[in-house]
């Protein structure tokens, strides 16, 4: 077989029968869904380097992807050999091709592939044709789940510097106006994001250029933000969920059951880990928290913009790069329990830097993964992916595993057992500031400052809530210290039958 894959006769092209052991810049991808798009195939490669060519064999459910270097291709194949890429519920197979390069023709199929390549590479945005405006109008259709200003900002920041953003409801539709620093960024974002879904199967982005040339923002809050003016007042803002569009999204018939949690009536901050550049999202190989062209997804090949779609029944996460000297099932139970109810935890007997965490459902697994992937625990950044296991097995009776497997399914510490619990509205990314609640009247600020510094962490600031001394904010020296303090002091007995509740705060002191 020739070492060049030629697109001139793609109907007769058989593809590679089996993956060779010899590395190549060309990657062969098999078992693709019937309705796969060029964009989704390119998305598999972009986290590892620039994609220089694409050959689609849709009739055979296959594609060839050419990377800019052999090293990028090796990183890609190496990564996907350990974490199966899933596209729209379909596992797809990634291997080296026998071909050393791709040559493609000018057929309509190949023109579409080339257009997708240009659109998805930030370095290929056509700046010769100036964008009509630096301001985009964004309409979110099919709003089954709440979408926040922060979520939009993180998605659109992938394509350039966002200067200002305003969200509002018009004609019963959730909309936003978003201003970039330059027209090329606006053009790139529109090309790549128009028609994409934020969540799988819903929250579809419809993007057009606005007639406005600039946005005038008076307040920095949940409805408007000017990143060039951090000094602006917050104004009289209401919480984002009091937005009419958000309220409608959860009162329409049949939608509550489709919300991220049964009975949930509040928005969840998605907290993607978006990288500033498309072509090289992270140093070395370190596979990005979330591979994918349009946003960093925590599942390779997962659909859409940063909310990885976890297939039904998949609620087990594989956590790697743990500190084997310090990690315990309890510490993972408390930390992951901030984002959902943890059923079981297993630290692997022979590889104690790895653990399996079973959440109560796929959405909770998704939330935990998107918020905690890359966060530092005991001095090491967590690496979190979806496990191939659908549940965590308990050791057989009489087979002790040194306490490395724990069943928490009946734990009283679950935060989300109660439908409609206010905890649903208080899910935030890890931050240096912690929210404390259930504080008894006799406990004063010095007691809590001493408690939180007793583990060697630094307490930078402390403040009781003015109207309710049962709650307080405490600011630790770093996010890592806050994570470890939450693990150590959540459910700490403060006396008087009060157990301290600790969560991450969106506020700072």
């Amino acid at each position: 077989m020739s070492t060049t894959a030629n697109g001139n006769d793609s109907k007769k092209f058989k593809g590679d029968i089996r993956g060779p052991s010899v590395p190549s810049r060309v990657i062969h991808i098999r078992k693709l869904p019937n309705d796969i798009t060029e964009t989704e195939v390119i998305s598999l490669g972009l986290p590892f380097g620039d994609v220089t060519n694409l050959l689609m064999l849709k009739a055979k459910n296959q594609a060839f992807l050419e990377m800019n270097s052999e090293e990028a291709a090796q990183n890609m194949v190496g990564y996907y050999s350990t974490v199966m890429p899933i596209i729209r519920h379909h596992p797809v197979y990634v291997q080296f091709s026998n071909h050393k390069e791709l040559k493609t023709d000018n057929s309509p199929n190949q023109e579409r592939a080339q257009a997708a390549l240009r659109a998805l590479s930030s370095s290929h945005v056509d700046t010769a044709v100036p964008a009509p405006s630096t301001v985009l109008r964004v309409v979110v259709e099919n709003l089954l789940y709440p979408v926040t200003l922060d979520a939009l900002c993180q998605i659109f920041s992938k394509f350039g510097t966002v200067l200002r953003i305003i969200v509002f409801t018009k004609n019963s539709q959730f909309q936003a106006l978003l201003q970039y620093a330059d027209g090329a960024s606006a053009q790139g974002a529109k090309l790549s994001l128009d028609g994409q879904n934020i969540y799988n199967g819903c929250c579809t982005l419809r993007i057009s250029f606005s007639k406005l040339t600039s946005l005038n923002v008076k307040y920095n809050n949940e409805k408007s933000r000017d990143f060039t003016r951090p000094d602006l007042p917050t104004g009289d803002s209401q919480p984002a969920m009091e937005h009419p569009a958000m309220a409608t999204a959860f009162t329409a018939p049949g939608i509550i059951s489709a919300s991220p949690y049964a009975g949930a009536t509040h928005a969840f901050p998605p907290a993607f880990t978006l990288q500033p550049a498309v072509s090289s999202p992270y140093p070395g190989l370190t596979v990005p928290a979330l591979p994918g062209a349009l946003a960093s997804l925590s599942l390779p090949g997962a659909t859409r913009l940063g909310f990885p779609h976890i297939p039904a029944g998949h609620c087990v996460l594989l956590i790697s790069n743990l500190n084997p000297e310090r990690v315990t099932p309890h510490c993972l139970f408390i930390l992951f329990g901030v984002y959902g109810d943890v059923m079981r935890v297993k630290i692997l007997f022979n590889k104690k830097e790895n653990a399996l965490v079973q959440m109560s459902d796929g959405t909770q697994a998704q939330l935990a993964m998107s918020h905690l992937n890359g966060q530092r625990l005991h001095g090491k950044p967590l690496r979190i992916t979806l496990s191939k296991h659908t549940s965590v097995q308990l050791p057989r009776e009489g087979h002790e595993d040194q306490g490395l497997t724990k069943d928490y399914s009946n734990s009283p510490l679950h935060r989300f057992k109660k439908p409609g619990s206010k905890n649903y509205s208080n899910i935030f990314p890890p931050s240096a500031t912690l929210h404390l609640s259930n504080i008894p009247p006799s406990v004063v600020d010095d007691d809590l400052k001493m408690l939180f510094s007793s583990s060697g962490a630094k307490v930078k600031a402390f403040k009781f809530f003015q109207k309710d001394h049962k709650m307080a904010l405490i600011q630790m020296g770093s996010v890592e210290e806050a994570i470890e303090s939450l693990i150590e002091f959540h459910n700490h007995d403060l006396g008087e039958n009060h157990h301290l509740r600790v969560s991450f705060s969106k506020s700072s002191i």
Side-chain angles (χ1 to χ4, degrees):
M1 189 181 273
S2 156
T3 59
T4 300
N6 196 318
N8 288 328
D9 197 5
S10 59
K11 285 184 182 168
K12 294 179 187 171
F13 193 78
K14 287 187 165 48
D16 290 330
I17 309 297
R18 64 184 183 277
S21 55
V22 182
S24 160
R25 285 197 305 136
V26 180
I27 306 288
H28 182 208
I29 304 167
R30 297 179 294 118
K31 300 276 181 82
L32 291 165
N34 290 330
D35 54 350
I36 188 76
T37 64
E38 286 81 1
T39 298
E40 285 170 308
V41 175
I42 297 165
S43 299
L44 291 171
L46 274 179
F48 306 92
D50 284 328
V51 177
T52 49
N53 213 343
L54 170 66
L55 176 61
M56 299 288 286
L57 302 177
K58 286 194 176 182
K60 298 180 183 299
N61 301 90
Q62 297 182 21
F64 287 84
L65 206 62
E66 182 185 276
M67 302 301 292
N68 63 331
S69 68
E70 205 171 277
E71 184 187 11
Q74 281 180 302
N75 286 340
M76 178 177 170
V77 172
Y79 181 67
Y80 290 139
S81 66
T82 58
V83 184
M84 172 76 73
I86 308 280
I87 297 183
R88 301 196 218 152
H89 306 280
H90 289 261
V92 299
Y93 297 86
V94 175
Q95 62 194 44
F96 290 117
S97 168
N98 292 317
H99 307 292
K100 294 300 178 191
E101 63 175 320
L102 289 181
K103 280 190 179 168
T104 50
D105 58 16
N106 296 322
S107 69
N109 279 350
Q110 289 315 313
E111 282 179 9
R112 220 174 30 245
Q114 295 307 312
L117 276 172
R118 284 195 298 275
L120 286 178
S121 172
S122 57
S123 57
H124 294 142
V125 173
D126 187 0
T127 51
V129 182
S133 171
T134 58
V135 180
L136 295 176
R137 175 174 170 265
V138 181
V139 176
V140 184
E141 294 179 349
N142 196 16
L143 188 79
L144 293 190
Y145 302 158
V147 175
T148 62
L149 179 148
D150 288 322
L152 289 176
C153 204
Q154 288 178 318
I155 292 167
F156 281 83
S157 292
K158 181 80 172 178
F159 299 90
T161 304
V162 175
L163 300 182
R164 299 171 190 90
I165 183 169
I166 299 168
V167 297
F168 55 95
T169 300
K170 186 177 179 183
N171 302 330
S172 300
Q173 282 186 313
F174 180 66
Q175 303 191 22
L177 289 168
L178 184 139
Q179 182 181 352
Y180 276 107
D182 59 87
S185 299
Q187 207 164 30
K190 182 180 182 300
L191 271 169
S192 295
L193 298 178
D194 187 28
Q196 297 290 344
N197 295 331
I198 297 178
Y199 282 107
N200 197 54
C202 66
C203 298
T204 307
L205 295 171
R206 300 291 177 211
I207 303 171
S208 56
F209 287 107
S210 169
K211 295 188 177 85
L212 298 170
T213 53
S214 182
L215 297 180
N216 181 21
V217 172
K218 293 178 181 175
Y219 303 111
N220 283 337
N221 54 38
E222 293 99 330
K223 295 177 185 174
S224 60
R225 198 80 50 84
D226 185 337
F227 295 98
T228 67
R229 295 281 312 280
D231 55 313
L232 287 177
T234 55
D236 188 22
S237 163
Q238 295 299 313
M241 258 314 291
E242 297 189 18
H243 211 291
M246 301 298 193
T248 309
F250 281 107
T251 51
I255 287 179
I256 289 189
S257 61
S259 66
Y261 291 104
T265 53
H266 288 81
F268 305 122
F272 325 100
T273 332
L274 290 183
Q275 314 296 340
V278 173
S279 56
S280 54
Y282 38 19
L285 162 65
T286 51
V287 171
L290 312 167
L294 304 179
S296 307
L297 303 183
S298 56
L299 288 182
T303 48
R304 306 308 181 227
L305 305 177
F307 299 90
H309 175 69
I310 293 183
H314 282 69
C315 50
V316 180
L317 299 172
L318 171 64
I319 294 90
S320 53
N321 203 38
L322 292 162
N323 184 330
E325 306 297 318
R326 299 186 59 189
V327 71
T328 62
H330 176 77
C331 107
L332 294 175
F333 166 69
I334 295 294
L335 179 57
F336 281 74
V338 173
Y339 300 104
D341 292 336
V342 176
M343 298 291 109
R344 293 176 180 175
V345 178
K346 179 189 283 288
I347 294 172
L348 302 192
F349 187 79
N350 293 324
K351 295 179 82 177
K352 292 191 172 64
E353 62 276 11
N354 295 328
L356 295 171
V357 173
Q358 181 180 337
M359 308 298 288
S360 72
D361 63 42
T363 302
Q364 295 187 0
Q366 172 179 294
L367 278 167
M369 183 160 53
S370 63
H371 284 82
L372 293 174
N373 192 47
Q375 297 289 348
R376 296 181 74 82
L377 175 65
H378 305 138
K380 301 183 74 173
L382 296 174
R383 297 279 170 253
I384 305 173
T385 56
L386 180 62
S387 168
K388 63 184 182 207
H389 300 286
T390 53
S391 65
V392 169
Q393 297 299 312
L394 295 174
R396 292 197 303 278
E397 223 173 301
H399 289 72
E400 287 308 311
D401 68 346
Q402 301 173 1
L404 294 175
T405 306
K406 295 283 185 188
D407 185 354
Y408 294 102
S409 51
N410 295 315
S411 171
L413 294 185
H414 286 162
R415 297 179 189 237
F416 304 100
K417 262 193 309 206
K418 191 174 161 192
S421 160
K422 64 179 185 293
N423 292 328
Y424 290 122
S425 60
N426 292 321
I427 297 176
F428 301 111
S431 61
T433 305
L434 297 171
H435 179 277
L436 313 181
S437 60
N438 205 33
I439 303 167
S442 60
V443 170
V444 296
D445 53 358
D446 280 349
D447 297 330
L448 290 163
K449 285 195 271 193
M450 278 178 64
L451 176 68
F452 276 77
S453 54
S454 65
S455 59
K458 181 181 179 184
V459 175
K460 279 185 149 182
F462 180 91
K463 184 174 79 173
F464 272 114
F465 277 51
Q466 208 169 348
K467 293 178 182 172
D468 186 357
H469 268 236
K470 287 187 289 213
M471 295 195 289
L473 294 177
I474 188 164
Q475 187 179 340
M476 309 306 294
S478 65
V479 175
E480 186 176 357
E481 283 190 354
I483 287 173
E484 295 190 17
S485 298
L486 181 144
I487 290 167
E488 188 163 353
F489 299 118
H490 179 64
N491 201 44
H492 183 83
D493 189 352
L494 291 173
E496 301 174 47
N497 205 20
H498 282 67
H499 285 78
L500 185 64
R501 296 186 64 78
V502 186
S503 52
F504 297 114
S505 174
K506 67 173 179 180
S507 309
S508 52
I509 304 174

